[in-house]
């Protein structure tokens, strides 16, 4: 039976509620690269209507020779920008070793797609009293994704947001395929808020507006979008990052309550 609206979970991230009446826009760079890049992006996305800042300090890269993130320095930059803008921050935690450092600097911890079934990490996050953004693995069924969330809930942490970020498909033109049926199903089966990531869900900035509209029509409680001052120079995921003007245009095309 679908979850009744009255029994849906509200997740509190700083002063922002995810899963309530408002559609929540999360935006920011794939990777924190510098203080200026992070602050400029935060101010631009905030002016356009984003209410939470994203930014990776510990990056799960396919190749060990690619940029791995600024680590602790990245977290310190996020904390400084958070203070200066008032925007709550979400950032990825890659390993149980980093939980204390990440939790000490951000408002919500992201479990990336590659770690969705890292059960040791999920169990530790269940002990935490901070919200968790749980991305779906590109190879996971909806039930596996919801069971991964249960590992966190079972520890007593009910502050979990699910994020559909695309599943692996066969079209080389698309990095991933945003699974909106999976998003709608997850929202029907679980009381947790569900958001969509049209950046990783396509790998292409030109598809972000269409997929954002579609995700909201499918019932998403919010979106998480990658934005960079100069996407061509981004140290990660430039092809799927909007510039400031692109993010402003996106916000103008969305009907957000
Ligand atoms: C990210 O958000 O930058 C990221 C690495 O996402 P995912 O885990 O969905 O690939
Ligand atoms: Mn990214």
């Amino acid at each position: 039976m679908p979850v009744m609206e009255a029994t849906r979970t509200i997740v509190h991230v700083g002063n922002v509620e995810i899963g309530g009446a408002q559609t929540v826009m999360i935006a920011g760079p794939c990777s924190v690269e510098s203080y200026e890049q992070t602050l400029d992006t935060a101010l631009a996305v905030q002016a356009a209507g984003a209410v939470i800042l994203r930014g990776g300090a510990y990056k799960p890269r396919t190749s060990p020779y690619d940029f791995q993130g600024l680590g602790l320095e990245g977290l310190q930059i996020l904390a400084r920008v958070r203070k200066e803008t008032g925007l709550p921050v979400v950032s990825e935690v890659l390993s149980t070793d980093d939980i204390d450092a990440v939790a000490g600097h951000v408002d919500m911890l992201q479990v990336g797609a590659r770690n969705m079934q890292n059960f040791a990490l999920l169990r530790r996050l269940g002990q935490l009293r901070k919200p968790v953004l749980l991305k779906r693995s590109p190879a996971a069924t909806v039930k596996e994704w919801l069971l991964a969330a249960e590992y966190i809930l079972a520890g007593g942490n009910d502050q979990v947001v699910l994020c559909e970020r695309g599943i692996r498909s066969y079209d080389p033109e698309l990095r991933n395929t945003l699974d909106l049926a999976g998003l709608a199903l997850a929202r029907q089966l679980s009381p947790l808020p569900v958001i969509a990531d049209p950046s990783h869900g396509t790998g292409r900035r030109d598809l972000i507006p269409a997929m954002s509209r579609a995700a909201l029509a499918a019932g998403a409680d919010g979106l998480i979008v990658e934005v960079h001052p100069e996407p061509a120079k981004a140290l990660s995921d430039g092809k799927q990052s909007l510039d400031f003007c692109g993010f402003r245009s996106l916000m103008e095309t969305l009907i957000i309550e």
Side-chain angles (χ1 to χ4, degrees):
M1 236 197 353
V3 176
M4 307 290 285
E5 285 305 311
T7 57
R8 300 205 66 87
T9 304
I10 305 250
V11 174
H12 299 267
V13 183
N15 55 355
V16 177
E17 286 188 351
I18 309 183
Q22 243 169 355
T23 299
V24 172
M25 290 298 293
I26 306 174
C30 177
S31 297
V32 173
E33 298 172 8
S34 69
Y35 168 67
E36 289 73 22
Q37 169 246 15
T38 307
L39 179 66
D40 289 355
T41 308
L43 291 171
V45 300
Q46 184 175 41
V51 291
I52 299 177
L53 175 68
R54 64 147 289 147
Y58 297 91
K59 295 304 300 177
R61 304 306 302 281
T62 302
S63 164
Y65 307 113
D66 287 339
F67 177 62
Q68 302 288 304
L70 295 181
L72 184 58
E73 189 193 342
L75 293 177
Q76 289 163 346
I77 291 171
L78 284 170
R80 195 170 154 199
V81 170
R82 170 184 185 271
K83 204 165 157 202
E84 283 167 22
T85 61
L87 285 174
V89 167
V90 56
S91 193
E92 179 162 355
V93 60
L94 274 186
S95 148
T96 48
D97 298 343
D98 305 325
I99 290 179
D100 291 344
V102 178
H105 291 84
V106 309
D107 301 279
M108 175 159 64
L109 290 88
Q110 175 173 323
V111 176
R114 293 158 188 82
N115 259 326
M116 189 203 84
Q117 287 186 316
N118 180 339
F119 299 121
L121 181 64
L122 299 175
R123 279 198 194 282
R124 283 280 306 278
L125 294 173
Q127 302 303 316
L128 213 65
R129 293 297 170 262
K130 279 226 164 176
V132 177
L133 179 64
L134 179 63
K135 289 195 151 196
R136 179 185 179 186
S137 156
T141 65
V142 168
K143 289 216 167 141
E144 287 165 342
W145 182 25
L146 299 183
L147 285 170
E150 287 294 328
Y151 271 85
I152 305 169
L153 303 177
N157 184 356
D158 75 335
Q159 296 287 285
V160 179
V161 178
L162 300 168
C163 177
E164 160 57 32
R165 50 75 76 203
I167 54 174
R168 185 156 285 195
S169 183
Y170 50 78
D171 193 332
E173 303 297 319
L174 299 167
R175 182 179 179 190
N176 293 289
T177 295
L178 194 66
D179 178 14
L180 295 179
L183 180 147
L185 179 61
R187 211 173 171 282
Q188 196 175 97
L189 295 176
S190 167
L192 299 173
V194 188
I195 67 168
D197 176 344
S199 305
H200 294 86
T202 60
R204 303 173 51 134
R205 81 172 64 87
D206 58 344
L207 297 180
I208 291 176
M211 287 300 94
S212 297
R213 292 192 293 273
L216 296 184
D221 294 289
L223 300 170
I224 181 164
V225 178
E226 289 186 333
V227 179
H228 192 282
E230 287 183 278
K233 294 193 183 156
L235 296 181
S236 60
D237 289 351
K239 287 200 186 109
Q240 64 190 40
S241 299
L242 295 171
D243 62 14
F244 298 167
C245 182
F247 185 71
R248 266 198 310 274
S249 311
L250 168 69
M251 293 298 287
E252 281 162 13
T253 72
L254 298 178
I255 301 157
I256 290 182
E257 284 140 37

